[in-house]
Amino acid sequence: MKSGDSATIDVPDSTASGGATAKGKGVTVVAAPRAGGWNKGVAIFDFILRLCAIVTALAAAAAMGTSDETLPFFTQFFQFQASYDDLPTFQFFVIAMAIVGGYLVLSLPFSIVCIIRTHAAGLRMLLLVLDTMALTLTTAAGAAAAAIVYLAHNGNPNTNWLAICQQFGDFCQKVSGAVVASMVTAVVFVVLVIVSAMALRRT
């Protein structure tokens, strides 16, 4: 019986006098709608979100990993250069976002299985736990890099840290874009966690 179909069932009824059995009125039974269609739509939305997160995570890692600028008005023996590997925080950012991007790629087959098997609660729970861990790593890397980018733009007069973005404009533009991409990735992970929790509640 499909969702929304109805059927009429004849229910026998006993009369109050004499115990004679008579044919009662037809009773209409309506089947309860199934949640399979909703779960499949959520699983497809989950897959699309993972594709978007892959793009933003790998873009963040690539932008930070290629951030390198050398000021042109010095000789080859005396140059001012800014690169992401000068700062351990930026190195951690590149490694963390690469790990997150790799995890998202590996999670795509599991997301496809959730589309095919809409009631795979165990697999959804596994993705929920791993997504939460990836969200934590993404947030930590993005927040740490954002603090360094803020100092690069504004400096800190109390500690005599000078703002370098006036000299290294291209470098600051790349690292700022990488931080923004990591924050977008974190937002996508938040949506993924919420969607997975809602799907588990309905499974």
Side-chain angles (χ1 to χ4, degrees), residues 76-92:
Q76 59 180 348
F77 302 104
F78 185 73
Q79 294 179 336
F80 284 158
Q81 183 180 13
S83 178
Y84 84 96
D85 53 5
D86 294 332
L87 295 168
T89 301
F90 287 166
Q91 294 179 5
F92 166 69

Side-chain angles (χ1 to χ4, degrees), residues 15-26:
T15 58
S17 59
T21 302
K23 192 173 184 180
K25 295 182 179 180

Side-chain angles (χ1 to χ4, degrees), residues 3-167:
S3 176
D5 293 346
S6 61
T8 302
I9 302 175
D10 292 331
V11 180
D13 188 17
S14 299
T15 58
S17 59
T21 302
K23 192 173 184 180
K25 295 182 179 180
V27 179
T28 301
V29 178
V30 180
R34 296 179 180 178
W38 189 90
N39 286 339
K40 187 171 184 178
V42 169
I44 294 174
F45 183 57
D46 178 277
F47 182 79
I48 295 173
L49 286 177
R50 291 182 188 278
L51 291 177
C52 296
I54 288 172
V55 174
T56 55
L58 295 182
M64 184 66 77
T66 57
S67 58
D68 187 2
E69 184 179 2
T70 302
L71 297 184
F73 47 83
F74 288 93
T75 66
Q76 59 180 348
F77 302 104
F78 185 73
Q79 294 179 336
F80 284 158
Q81 183 180 13
S83 178
Y84 84 96
D85 53 5
D86 294 332
L87 295 168
T89 301
F90 287 166
Q91 294 179 5
F92 166 69
F93 180 90
V94 173
I95 295 172
M97 296 310 298
I99 292 174
V100 170
Y103 157 70
L104 286 167
V105 172
L106 294 176
S107 70
L108 289 180
F110 297 98
S111 182
I112 293 174
V113 172
C114 288
I115 296 176
I116 299 173
R117 299 178 59 186
T118 57
H119 296 285
L123 190 55
R124 287 187 183 276
M125 178 62 71
L126 176 63
L127 288 177
L128 176 61
V129 173
L130 294 177
D131 287 345
T132 304
M133 296 173 60
L135 170 61
T136 304
L137 183 60
T138 302
T139 305
I148 302 299
V149 170
Y150 176 83
L151 289 176
H153 279 280
N154 301 296
N156 190 337
N158 296 328
T159 56
N160 293 325
W161 289 348
L162 301 177
I164 66 171
C165 286
Q166 295 179 356
Q167 290 78 25

